[in-house]
Amino acid sequence: MLDIKHSQSQEVIKVNYFWLRDHCRCPRCYNVETKQRRYNLLDIPRDIKPENGGVKYLKDGLVLEVTWNDGHVSEYDIDFIFNSQVEKLIKRKSTSTLKTPWNLPIILQNERYSRFRFTDLLSSDVVVRDYVAALVRYGIAFIDDVPANTTMTEMAIRLAFPVMKTFFGEMFTFTDAADHADTAYSKEYLGSHTDNTYFCDAAGVQALHCLQHVNGEGGENFFVDGLHCGLELKRRNPKAFELLTRVHLPAEYIEEGQHHIHSAPMIRLDPVTQEIIQLRLNVYDRAVFNTIPQEDMMEFYEAFCEFLEIVQSPDNQWRFKLYPGTVVVFDNWRVYHGRYSYTGSRTMTGCYVQRTDFLSKARVLGIID
């Protein structure tokens, strides 16, 4: 281990020799154009260490030069080394104010910050950034004044993100006709859920646009912030919260030509920061629950039901009617959505966005690290 001192903060950290050599950014080791390493990790000797006297501080102590015992010479920016430590990552994430957990009173106070006009998004990169930032902060945003057809809905989404292709297609348009073996293709009540629990990698973002609703009533949509609900469960019952972060709940989707199965916890935590990074809930797609012994079942069901009580509380449910012209875009890893039953004929269109594309856009715009 090498002791490294920051000349400005006077902080001292210990850094593993092999890690330091692995993070050399010289032209032989790192391609600055592609941002990729250029070597085989096995090229580094396991007993790598600095030569005697091979450690020097340059440029007022802000650059570290190391001559290694294999003859290689590396230079490092001191800030790069310090900012690359896990302790710094945890501190950055834990002090983050990027996300605002919300219940009904909170989101009603902040709704205006998540509404954007289609023409403004078309003409302003600043507005696009504000729109993506709203998705990061609240997990939900609206695009208003979108012509009520699938083509213009797709254009509105592609202003920020590429569209994800699944067996539903890229853009999907649905009514109550049974085009797929899914409760969404009906007029029935749909409880709070996330989509794609049966996929190995659920869509990160979903968009919905009501194109028409004629000769009937009902069909109000509702949204619930899973982040708020998860944190509330953790506050009320830490043991139940821990259980839901650990037990894998199987999900399944079956129709002709399709059979998807995936198991994962209902609440997924970042392995480093322990922050909630994904909520996964769909009572309709649950498969046979066979991932824990029978003697542990009741403890899990108690935790599951307690969480559902929070999710289904009217204080956490934001309910409104979607009308032609407004596209709602929401974080499928965070926000639960549902729909009340309806009569008449209703046509919806929408799409998914991959999680990686959503986060990539947020990083490019400087919203997240």
Side-chain angles (χ1 to χ4, degrees):
M1 301 282 280
L2 180 65
D3 290 338
I4 300 176
K5 183 176 182 178
H6 199 291
S7 63
Q8 295 179 343
S9 68
Q10 301 300 303
E11 182 182 359
V12 178
I13 59 173
K14 291 183 177 293
V15 175
N16 175 270
Y17 292 147
F18 202 97
W19 180 92
L20 193 61
R21 177 64 183 81
D22 180 39
H23 286 77
C24 178
R25 291 297 188 259
C26 79
R28 285 177 53 194
C29 295
Y30 190 74
N31 187 327
V32 295
E33 293 182 358
T34 66
K35 307 297 188 294
Q36 293 175 306
R37 288 179 168 88
R38 278 183 150 145
Y39 59 90
N40 186 336
L41 195 64
L42 296 180
D43 294 339
I44 303 176
R46 301 290 178 85
D47 62 349
I48 195 73
K49 63 181 179 180
E51 282 187 346
N52 289 333
V55 178
K56 300 177 183 177
Y57 287 93
L58 309 174
K59 300 179 182 178
D60 298 323
L62 296 177
V63 175
L64 179 72
E65 182 185 89
V66 179
T67 301
W68 300 99
N69 59 349
D70 65 351
H72 190 79
V73 179
S74 304
E75 281 192 5
Y76 305 90
D77 179 275
I78 293 290
D79 286 332
F80 166 76
I81 297 174
F82 274 75
N83 290 332
S84 299
Q85 306 309 305
V86 65
E87 296 82 5
K88 296 291 186 181
L89 174 64
I90 293 173
K91 185 177 180 180
R92 286 199 302 271
K93 292 287 185 72
S94 63
T95 58
S96 172
T97 58
L98 291 177
K99 295 182 179 180
T100 299
W102 54 265
N103 55 14
L104 182 58
I106 292 173
I107 196 63
L108 290 179
Q109 291 177 2
N110 292 281
E111 177 186 1
R112 64 188 182 277
Y113 297 118
S114 61
R115 303 201 76 96
F116 304 89
R117 294 181 61 205
F118 181 42
T119 52
D120 292 338
L121 289 169
L122 278 169
S123 60
S124 173
D125 291 339
V126 173
V127 176
V128 171
R129 186 188 187 281
D130 291 343
Y131 155 61
V132 177
L135 269 176
V136 171
R137 179 170 293 282
Y138 302 109
I140 189 168
F142 302 85
I143 307 175
D144 293 319
D145 303 329
V146 180
N149 61 69
T150 299
T151 299
M152 297 307 290
T153 304
E154 180 176 4
M155 180 182 292
I157 298 306
R158 288 188 182 274
L159 288 173
F161 311 112
V163 172
M164 174 182 177
K165 185 175 182 178
T166 70
F167 65 86
F168 294 108
E170 290 188 338
M171 297 300 298
F172 42 80
T173 301
F174 58 98
T175 63
D176 57 339
D179 295 330
H180 291 280
D182 196 302
T183 312
Y185 290 79
S186 74
K187 297 180 180 181
E188 299 175 19
Y189 171 87
L190 281 173
S192 296
H193 66 281
T194 59
D195 278 18
N196 309 150
T197 55
Y198 43 78
F199 281 174
C200 298
D201 188 18
V205 171
Q206 183 173 358
L208 290 172
H209 187 184
C210 179
L211 302 185
Q212 67 170 2
H213 186 185
V214 296
N215 301 324
E217 57 186 18
E220 294 88 351
N221 287 81
F222 53 87
F223 297 84
V224 176
D225 185 12
L227 177 59
H228 166 80
C229 295
L231 294 174
E232 181 63 15
L233 178 67
K234 185 178 182 180
R235 184 188 68 80
R236 293 185 190 182
N237 191 337
K239 186 176 180 181
F241 176 84
E242 188 277 332
L243 193 64
L244 296 189
T245 67
R246 178 167 46 83
V247 174
H248 281 230
L249 191 63
E252 186 173 43
Y253 184 95
I254 304 173
E255 69 174 33
E256 185 176 356
Q258 302 290 335
H259 191 172
H260 300 268
I261 300 177
H262 184 60
S263 295
M266 293 173 60
I267 303 173
R268 185 156 72 95
L269 304 180
D270 185 295
V272 175
T273 67
Q274 294 300 296
E275 291 185 323
I276 296 173
I277 58 173
Q278 183 179 9
L279 286 303
R280 181 176 174 273
L281 173 65
N282 195 312
V283 299
Y284 306 97
D285 294 332
R286 285 190 300 133
V288 174
F289 187 21
N290 56 7
T291 58
I292 58 174
Q294 286 293 321
E295 55 266 28
D296 297 332
M297 288 294 181
M298 202 59 226
E299 184 181 20
F300 174 82
Y301 280 116
E302 291 284 359
F304 192 174
C305 289
E306 184 169 356
F307 188 51
L308 283 178
E309 288 174 353
I310 296 172
V311 172
Q312 295 176 11
S313 168
D315 291 338
N316 294 326
Q317 187 182 94
W318 188 15
R319 175 180 177 178
F320 51 84
K321 181 109 174 179
L322 282 173
Y323 290 99
T326 294
V327 179
V328 60
V329 187
F330 53 95
D331 185 339
N332 188 52
W333 281 31
R334 170 179 172 178
V335 173
Y336 305 128
H337 66 288
R339 180 201 70 212
Y340 284 87
S341 62
Y342 67 92
T343 59
S345 176
R346 193 172 85 150
T347 302
M348 302 285 292
T349 192
C351 65
Y352 296 124
V353 173
Q354 288 186 331
R355 187 70 178 180
T356 189
D357 290 325
F358 168 48
L359 297 180
S360 172
K361 187 68 173 184
R363 290 191 193 97
V364 169
L365 294 175
I367 297 167
I368 63 173
D369 291 333

